[in-house]
Amino acid sequence: MTGTEGTADGTAEGTPDAVPPADAASAPGDAVPPADAASAPGDAAPPAKLGPKDRRKRIADRVLAEGQVSIEDLVKELGVSQMTVHRDLDTLEHQGWLRKVRGGATAAPNALFESNARWRGSEHVAAKEAICAAALAIAEPGQAVIIDDSSTALPLARSLSGRGAYTVITNSLQVINELADEPDIRVIALGGEYHAAFNAFLGMSTADIARSFRADVAFLSTSAVDNGHCYHQAQENVLVKRALMAAARRKVLLVDHSKFSRQALYELAPLADFDLVISDQDLPQEEQEALQSLGVRYELVATAGD
């Protein structure tokens, strides 16, 4: 791995992560016809009815795979009424899995909705791994380390295994599960209200718990970076991230190039509030110059194959 850093004088120095699984439970012998299969007299019997939980898993998985889905197709596939599909879509939208649109639903992210944890975890994987490899050099054994619920920071949590003793403070259920069996790592889980779209605990109670700790370093990410500020699409997530920043002596932002010049609804913090910003070498030159002009210390890392 190679990297460059920038300073103010110009000198050198990636949203909704628990996701409905693809293999939603179904009874042996269940057959789900293609969405466009037309019913006709003599056709096979309709698929066995799924319970609400399994039905919503199937809907969320299809939206994730295809980007969008129509209510008409879901009615045919699931063998339920339009009213039932509408109720399922309302529930999934409330949980952050999708966005309801006229005649169906979409998983396309925009300023208010970021796709769920699995979609985020599959984007720019090489860049995220390279960024976390650089961050790993900052996390020294014996330290208390904060890792937030971002998909960008997840490779860092995995990399701590076998490197010595750490105390890891996190609101991410996936980070908790990754490190739960590591004998040298003490995991402090920040509880609160569980949000499935982020696979994390968020909200006021989580923020209050976070503020009661004092860590050596916090590794966080964000949904968007624009005009020298970080933004996120979820207000409850911003609340917790701010509390995590306040609980750490040193704050490091892990953010791949795709997050720059994007927009999201809620401001998290100015970039200048972070001690270091780590991104990848695909960050456009104009964004690098903007960081330098703001006096933001940053490091760019090469991804595999660069």
Side-chain angles (χ1 to χ4, degrees), residues 21-43:
D23 55 347
S26 57
D30 277 4
V32 180
D36 58 354
S39 297
D43 281 355

Side-chain angles (χ1 to χ4, degrees), residues 186-244:
R186 178 188 182 195
V187 179
I188 298 177
L190 304 177
E193 182 180 354
Y194 177 73
H195 288 243
F198 299 99
N199 200 12
F201 300 94
L202 301 170
M204 183 68 74
S205 58
T206 309
D208 287 343
I209 297 168
R211 279 189 284 266
S212 68
F213 293 98
R214 189 63 175 167
D216 295 290
V217 59
F219 297 98
L220 304 98
S221 190
T222 191
S223 299
V225 178
D226 185 56
N227 197 28
H229 292 258
C230 302
Y231 296 86
H232 203 281
Q233 80 283 2
Q235 189 173 28
E236 53 277 338
N237 209 310
V238 168
L239 186 67
V240 172
K241 287 177 184 287
R242 286 177 178 171
L244 293 174

Side-chain angles (χ1 to χ4, degrees), residues 228-281:
H229 292 258
C230 302
Y231 296 86
H232 203 281
Q233 80 283 2
Q235 189 173 28
E236 53 277 338
N237 209 310
V238 168
L239 186 67
V240 172
K241 287 177 184 287
R242 286 177 178 171
L244 293 174
M245 290 176 67
R249 222 173 22 86
R250 190 177 186 193
K251 294 165 277 291
V252 180
L253 181 67
L254 312 178
V255 56
D256 71 75
H257 70 276
S258 70
K259 303 296 179 65
F260 285 78
S261 297
R262 287 178 58 178
Q263 294 181 343
L265 187 60
Y266 299 100
E267 182 184 0
L268 169 60
L271 288 174
D273 283 2
F274 292 90
D275 298 284
L276 178 65
V277 175
I278 306 179
S279 189
D280 59 278
Q281 288 187 341

Side-chain angles (χ1 to χ4, degrees), residues 4 19 35 51 56 114 130 142 161 166 191 201 224 233 262 271 298:
T4 59
V19 178
R56 289 164 190 164
E114 185 178 57
S161 175
Y166 291 92
F201 300 94
Q233 80 283 2
R262 287 178 58 178
L271 288 174
Y298 69 94

Side-chain angles (χ1 to χ4, degrees), residues 1-242:
M1 181 197 75
T2 61
T4 59
E5 294 188 9
T7 58
D9 61 6
T11 57
E13 282 184 325
T15 129
D17 287 331
V19 178
D23 55 347
S26 57
D30 277 4
V32 180
D36 58 354
S39 297
D43 281 355
K49 294 291 179 66
L50 299 174
K53 183 177 179 180
D54 289 336
R55 193 172 61 239
R56 289 164 190 164
K57 285 180 181 179
R58 184 168 293 185
I59 292 172
D61 190 69
R62 183 168 172 188
V63 172
L64 176 64
E66 301 178 13
Q68 61 182 9
V69 69
S70 72
I71 290 173
E72 181 181 357
D73 284 351
L74 291 175
V75 168
K76 291 178 182 178
E77 178 177 335
L78 300 171
V80 295
S81 68
Q82 284 195 10
M83 183 176 296
T84 298
V85 171
H86 274 289
R87 283 199 298 265
D88 287 341
L89 294 179
D90 287 339
T91 299
L92 290 168
E93 182 177 48
H94 177 72
Q95 293 175 347
W97 296 119
L98 50 79
R99 181 164 62 97
K100 241 182 129 176
V101 297
R102 184 177 179 84
T106 177
N110 59 28
L112 298 180
F113 291 88
E114 185 178 57
S115 292
N116 62 46
R118 178 162 46 156
W119 187 91
R120 289 184 284 124
S122 67
E123 287 291 287
H124 306 289
V125 173
K128 291 173 181 177
E129 289 178 347
I131 288 168
C132 286
L136 188 61
I138 300 171
E140 299 177 4
Q143 287 187 331
V145 174
I146 290 173
I147 300 177
D148 74 356
D149 61 285
S150 64
S151 64
T152 304
L154 184 58
L156 174 62
R158 293 171 176 157
S159 298
L160 293 178
S161 175
R163 286 184 56 86
Y166 291 92
T167 297
V168 175
I169 303 166
T170 184
N171 65 315
S172 166
L173 184 57
Q174 192 163 358
V175 171
I176 294 167
N177 290 333
E178 287 282 348
L179 300 177
D181 296 326
E182 294 297 328
D184 294 331
I185 297 179
R186 178 188 182 195
V187 179
I188 298 177
L190 304 177
E193 182 180 354
Y194 177 73
H195 288 243
F198 299 99
N199 200 12
F201 300 94
L202 301 170
M204 183 68 74
S205 58
T206 309
D208 287 343
I209 297 168
R211 279 189 284 266
S212 68
F213 293 98
R214 189 63 175 167
D216 295 290
V217 59
F219 297 98
L220 304 98
S221 190
T222 191
S223 299
V225 178
D226 185 56
N227 197 28
H229 292 258
C230 302
Y231 296 86
H232 203 281
Q233 80 283 2
Q235 189 173 28
E236 53 277 338
N237 209 310
V238 168
L239 186 67
V240 172
K241 287 177 184 287
R242 286 177 178 171

